[in-house]
Amino acid sequence: MHQLPIFLNLTGRTVVLVGEGEAAEAKARLIQRAGGRIISAWEAGATIAFVALGDEAAARAAADALRAHGLLVNVVDRPDLCDFTTPAIVDRAPVTIAIGTGGASAGLAKAIRQRLEALLPARLGDLAGALYAARAAMKARWPVAADRRRAIDAALAPGGALDPLDAGAADRVGEWLAAAAPDRPSRLETIRLTSADPDELTLRAARLLGEADHVFHPPHIPAAILARARADAARHIAAAPPRESPPGLSLWLEMQVIAL
């Protein structure tokens, strides 16, 4: 990962925008959509800055001056001068999906955005709102956080009760809470890896890594494989799989030796 993706709350914050023309107008619309206040020169309290100048020397000078005030700067169409880049956006508020290429290809980011726009229901944001409103009920139904997460994961899985690609999922949150099945017992699954390349993971292995609560593995398992596990899954270096599984889903990873 070459950049850290974050979502910045600009509501009521001041943003510097230097430049004019189509590129500057596009950035102004983006800032305004996010609730930011636009100014054309640095002032105390500014959060970030955008520079949209056609002349490279002028753009570099403006960026350097703003950076000297401690601002992170985006220079339109010049990724080598940027502290951050702006992604292509799929807006299903409050769900926001950002597609970035680190400035390598805005066209590629746009193409991916258009595919996702066609795939995601217009009411996806309603599902997010319904889940937010149901937080207290979910905590009462599953007091243990790990149990709650597994129940939500199962509901949001493809074909699940709240499948995000189903336009009617937002209307079924209450029904799902009332009919949710009992929690599944703890279990241990083994993943036998045939390659150090994470792109060669089987669909099953990729799914399990994305769902696991605990990942047990010997020291030689590649970091690129481990990176595909849930970010908050506990990692355990071990010589053998655990005799007793901790609560939730545990994985044992091992490299499979292929005879030549």
Side-chain angles (χ1 to χ4, degrees):
M1 190 168 65
H2 297 160
Q3 293 182 313
L4 175 66
I6 61 172
F7 289 90
L8 182 63
N9 185 358
L10 286 184
T11 301
R13 295 176 181 264
T14 301
V15 178
V16 180
L17 174 58
V18 178
E20 56 185 23
E22 291 185 4
E25 290 170 2
K27 295 301 182 187
R29 288 192 294 270
L30 181 65
I31 296 165
Q32 289 166 346
R33 282 174 62 190
R37 166 180 170 260
I38 299 173
I39 57 175
S40 58
W42 179 83
E43 68 176 42
T47 304
I48 57 174
F50 293 88
V51 175
L53 296 173
D55 180 78
E56 181 166 355
R60 184 183 295 273
D64 288 344
L66 291 165
R67 204 172 280 120
H69 287 292
L71 297 183
L72 296 176
V73 182
N74 171 274
V75 183
V76 177
D77 292 334
R78 293 184 172 87
D80 56 316
L81 299 181
C82 290
D83 297 310
F84 67 94
T85 56
T86 53
I89 296 171
V90 180
D91 188 357
R92 297 288 188 273
V95 177
T96 304
I97 299 171
I99 305 103
T101 64
S105 174
L108 175 59
K110 175 184 175 182
I112 296 171
R113 175 185 62 79
Q114 290 173 333
R115 298 281 186 92
L116 292 176
E117 286 277 9
L119 179 67
L120 298 175
R123 295 192 63 210
L124 182 60
D126 293 341
L127 175 59
L131 288 171
Y132 180 82
R135 288 186 306 168
M138 289 189 286
K139 287 182 179 179
R141 173 65 179 81
W142 298 283
V144 178
D147 294 339
R148 188 162 59 249
R149 182 191 57 75
R150 284 192 294 275
I152 295 171
D153 286 351
L156 295 174
L162 304 179
D163 187 338
L165 300 189
D166 184 337
D171 300 323
R172 293 197 297 271
V173 172
E175 177 184 336
W176 162 67
L177 276 168
D183 301 324
R184 291 182 296 176
S186 299
R187 74 186 200 275
L188 174 69
E189 298 278 355
T190 297
I191 295 179
R192 294 181 174 84
L193 304 167
T194 59
S195 168
D197 185 350
D199 289 335
E200 295 186 12
L201 287 167
T202 65
L203 291 176
R204 175 180 179 274
R207 176 179 57 80
L208 289 173
L209 282 166
E211 297 175 357
D213 299 290
H214 297 266
V215 179
F216 295 84
H217 63 90
H220 61 270
I221 296 298
I225 296 291
L226 296 174
R228 294 297 179 93
R230 280 180 48 234
D232 56 348
R235 272 73 163 171
H236 310 271
I237 298 176
R243 294 184 179 180
E244 295 185 5
S245 299
L249 171 61
S250 297
L251 302 182
W252 168 247
L253 308 185
E254 61 184 26
M255 292 296 296
Q256 184 174 348
V257 178
I258 301 176
L260 299 177

